[in-house]
Amino acid sequence: MSFIIEWFNRLFKKTRMQNIILFGPPGSGKGTQATRLVEKYKFVHLSTGDLLRSERKRETKLGIEAQKFMVKGELVPDSVVIGMIESAVQEAGDVTGFIFDGYPRTVPQAEALDALLASNEMSIDRVLVLDVNEEESTKRLLDRGKTSNRKDDQDESVIRGRYKVYLDYTVEVAGYYEPKGIVVNIPGEGAIEEITELLASEIEAIA
Ligand code: AP5
């Protein structure tokens, strides 16, 4: 029976593919929730923050350059992240769908993502916005900063600066997708498991 379901799934893969943007301010739980949704739905998780940190760890030219922006909580230039995502999508090949985490963060990034997906006969199905206020975001990231080695989590002014960058440059990305009727706000404060359930029910409601 499972063989038949698998065969059916493969046959109709193109129509079943779902691409989700997990959206929200720093510390809203995008990475936490993406990991849980990947387990459940086998999506490919693409986080520009993780990709940039991996470049930095390998001390590539891109990583060293990006680090200068990241420690200050500023956005890395569009040209850098757009190119990075294009390569990651092409390298992923034939997949069930993507969860974009922390991307797009500017309207030019959103336009570039739409063009990239369209050229591969794909599109964004949902933009799931995790709503978390600045105080909760700051508290979570300061807590994480005590044990992680993320420099951008260790200075309250940098954390608050990241929240401001979100308000100044990233919130308008949700406005960009609004006319398509695919933006859904989800309360991002509360139990992690309950938030996953809310996200999952939105994903399962996609036709
Ligand atoms: P990035 O790595 O994307 O960081 P961020 O969005 O600022 O925030 P986080 O990833 O830290 O938060 P999150 O929402 O994923 O929450 P998480 O699940 O980790 O970006 C870092 C930098 O890279 C940027 O500042 C920029 O410089 C650069 N960059 C990245 N993408 C870019 C782009 N597209 N364009 C330009 N520049 C870019 O959770 C946070 C903490 O909260 C964890 O400790 C977690 O355990 C906890 N937590 C999660 N959920 C809950 C809950 N429900 N209750 C309590 N605690 C919770």
Side-chain angles (χ1 to χ4, degrees):
M1 184 62 179
S2 63
F3 169 77
I4 296 171
I5 293 169
E6 177 69 13
W7 175 81
F8 185 86
N9 284 346
R10 279 170 191 245
L11 193 64
F12 292 99
K13 203 169 202 176
K14 282 277 176 235
T15 51
R16 287 178 59 259
M17 182 156 177
Q18 294 173 351
N19 296 305
I20 310 292
I21 294 174
L22 264 190
F23 198 84
S28 55
K30 302 181 294 294
T32 303
Q33 295 297 338
T35 304
R36 296 170 65 85
L37 294 172
V38 162
E39 259 174 48
K40 199 171 165 75
Y41 299 107
K42 311 295 173 215
F43 293 131
V44 170
H45 177 199
L46 290 183
S47 153
T48 38
D50 288 348
L51 290 170
L52 289 166
R53 280 184 288 276
S54 153
E55 294 278 345
R56 186 188 59 202
K57 204 169 170 192
R58 288 183 285 122
E59 297 186 344
T60 64
K61 189 164 173 264
L62 187 157
I64 292 164
E65 204 46 45
Q67 168 75 348
K68 295 177 192 163
F69 297 90
M70 294 170 81
V71 287
K72 291 188 274 179
E74 293 170 4
L75 292 179
V76 173
D78 284 341
S79 56
V80 174
V81 281
I82 288 171
M84 218 173 53
I85 280 287
E86 283 178 353
S87 308
V89 167
Q90 304 299 4
E91 278 164 23
D94 198 12
V95 298
T96 316
F98 292 100
I99 292 195
F100 296 97
D101 158 8
Y103 185 88
R105 259 171 151 102
T106 63
V107 170
Q109 290 181 20
E111 290 167 343
L113 180 61
D114 274 359
L116 171 68
L117 294 180
S119 69
N120 288 282
E121 294 173 40
M122 297 187 278
S123 60
I124 294 295
D125 295 285
R126 285 290 180 282
V127 179
L128 301 175
V129 186
L130 291 169
D131 290 320
V132 169
N133 70 40
E134 184 176 343
E135 294 319 307
E136 175 70 12
S137 151
T138 306
K139 181 182 163 300
R140 287 183 188 178
L141 297 181
L142 278 173
D143 278 352
R144 184 173 64 186
K146 289 175 195 158
T147 51
S148 80
N149 60 2
R150 277 187 61 168
K151 291 228 172 353
D152 59 345
D153 284 349
Q154 288 163 4
D155 180 332
E156 182 167 341
S157 67
V158 171
I159 294 173
R160 290 192 185 272
R162 281 156 67 195
Y163 201 96
K164 184 170 184 320
V165 165
Y166 172 75
L167 296 179
D168 290 349
Y169 299 98
T170 304
V171 164
E172 64 180 347
V173 174
Y176 167 88
Y177 287 107
E178 202 69 60
K180 298 178 199 275
I182 58 173
V183 180
V184 181
N185 286 71
I186 305 278
E189 297 178 27
I192 289 173
E193 301 73 21
E194 283 169 20
I195 297 167
T196 310
E197 287 307 310
L198 294 173
L199 294 167
S201 62
E202 288 301 330
I203 290 170
E204 282 166 25
I206 297 171

